[in-house]
Amino acid sequence: MSDVIIFVEQRGGHTRKVTFELATEARKVADMLGGKAHAVVLGGGAPALAEQLKGYPLDVVHVNDDADVDTYLAEPEVDYVEALARELGSSIVLVPNTMHGRDIGSRVAARLKTGIVADVTDLKLEDGKLVCVAPKLGGAFITSSAFKNTEYGVVTVRPNAFAAEAGGAGATVQPIAKPAGKTYVVKIESHVEEAAAEIGLEEAAVIISGGRGLGSAEPFDSVLKPLAKAFGGAVGATRAVADAGWVPYSMQIGQTGKTVSPRLYIAFGISGAIQHKVGMSTSGTIVAVNTDAGAPIGEFADMLVVANALEVATELTRLVEANRSA
Amino acid sequence: MKIAVTVKIVPDTTAEKKIDAATKRLVRTGMNLVMNPYDEYALEAALRLKEQLGADTTVTVVSMYPENGKETIRRALAMGADDAYLISDAALEGTDAWGTGVVLGAALRKIGFDLIICGGLSDDGTTGAVPGALAEDLGVPGIANVRHIESAQGSLKVQCETDNGYQVVNGPLPALISVTMAVGEPRYPSLKGIMGAKKKPITTFTVAELDVAGAAGAANAKTELLSFAPPAGRGKGQVVKPDDSAQGARVIFDYLKERKLV
Ligand SMILES: Cc1cc2nc3c(=O)[nH]c(=O)nc-3n(C[C@H](O)[C@H](O)[C@H](O)COP(=O)(O)OP(=O)(O)OC[C@H]3O[C@@H](n4cnc5c(N)ncnc54)[C@H](O)[C@@H]3O)c2cc1C
Ligand SMILES: Nc1ncnc2c1ncn2[C@@H]1O[C@H](COP(=O)(O)O)[C@@H](O)[C@H]1O
């Protein structure tokens, strides 16, 4: 028997879709393990978000709007999650596989002296063991792993891998005590929003991605962004264009960038190098537009359209927008 | 200032990866070994700091890998690191992310450091869990996803990447940071660097020399690989050669409509 705890990544009461995916999956895992599903929501805006989480099938939402969480990096959040795990005993901690989620997850695992399975896309029960399914080695293998020698486990969950479904009897929202006797030294001075992405790349259901074939920085803003907007998605890029300074590195997808698996990935002017492929090959549907019929991306795209990327993107935006307002 | 960089040695990133069916571990023989790409960026960040801070700053590379990793470690020395430590021991086979943090921590306690720089993610492990585990083991502040070091004299001031921008973060030293690729393109070793690297020391540690009881090796790992299989194949799809771009867009639109994606 194990409880399940989800770490809710949030700022000012705003969170990402992956939180609700975790909340939905936590219920299933808790039922498999015969335990309860908990969420921890911390920092400014936490109480409002906790109310929102009541609509998901959790048992308890632990909340504290502790200002230290907004002022100091990571450590306060790790303290809260560790404290709850120790209080509950045997438990599985689910964090989103995002930059911040991985940081929190790896430290919670270290505090609990336990293992971490990263980038998990499925969770199931086999022979009484929780089995974590994750694509590894750039998607070359689908692995199944389990925890051993431990009563705890930390799982980082890939955004978009699980559905978010509201429901349940309504969780109890209760305050969680601030861990005592801690002092914090790593201070967040300021936040700067750059990409101003309304949706994070890792959780976007649709990604419109561009490569060197777009020719310059300008179309990323003037062509890809409107198309992404029409889909309600986000814009990604290859390393070649990040290196060229056309887009920030935060938009890079691939081996040394982000790993994504949206329902739809459209690649404009991207050759499909292995280092790019490993970051996106688990996407639901992959469409590529490339002037070269022999581009490597044709080997794994569901559809390769041999045409000029800019022109197709512009026209496709028109079609998608027209379809929306129809 | 004493900077330590953790470097993982991984199979050539373009090599076809295989898992040994019996040991369930990545096959690491019969292919070129390279520095984990992210760790080249970590080393680059360290070397730039050294250039900025002057001669009494040193850069030490620390890696956990079998003895045959030495040649790869030489590349780090050729790039400009001053010395290296290789933790090699058969007892380390199968150590997991948490255990790796403990082993690297034990070595770093002996070696000494003011700042540890890690890569963000390993090419073969891709858990991104070792830097956090290492910071916790050493009990020093850990700052993840650093894209720019603003200053590192007396204390640290860095920019950390977030999902939609960055945060400016400050903290005391000693500390650990893990970097993203935005810290700057790694340099190539110069000929002089390559010659000089041959004379730089690589010290090896065995498990017996480190206090890592209960963390090293497969027997102590907290996770186990049960099975693995190639994914259901994603074969070559259709190739469409439209008459013009407008038709190309229409073909995509219809295809997405059919799949209920618009
Ligand atoms: C260690 C390492 C790590 C790396 N990590 C990453 C990573 O994380 N992510 C990543 O993306 N890359 C990574 N790379 C780089 C990778 O190898 C490729 O160089 C890169 O992905 C290529 O980007 P691209 O497709 O934009 O450019 P190119 O390979 O130059 O491809 C451009 C494509 O555009 C097409 N094209 C040209 N004009 C047009 C047009 N008008 N309309 C339509 N198509 C057009 C061309 O036919 C071509 O196929 C890494 C490399 C190394 C060595
Ligand atoms: N065996 C190792 N030796 C040295 N450094 C390592 C080792 N494993 C992981 N690291 C460091 O931890 C980072 C993240 O690795 P991982 O957690 O395996 O994804 C790497 O980029 C390295 O800096």
Side-chain angles (χ1 to χ4, degrees), chain A residues 10 41-48 62-70 80 175-176:
Chain A
Q10 74 101 18
V41 196
L42 305 166
H62 304 263
V63 58
N64 195 323
D65 60 357
D66 186 353
D68 277 355
V69 171
D70 303 306
Y80 277 99
I176 179 170

Side-chain angles (χ1 to χ4, degrees), chain B residues 5-9 36 38-39 42 62-65 87 97 100 104 117-131 134 178:
Chain B
V5 180
T6 57
V7 170
K8 188 170 187 184
I9 296 168
N36 179 39
Y38 255 106
D39 299 341
V62 184
S63 187
M64 173 177 127
Y65 200 81
I87 311 158
T100 303
L104 291 174
I117 309 185
C118 301
L121 205 66
S122 67
D123 191 62
D124 54 351
T126 58
T127 52
V130 170
L134 179 54
S178 66

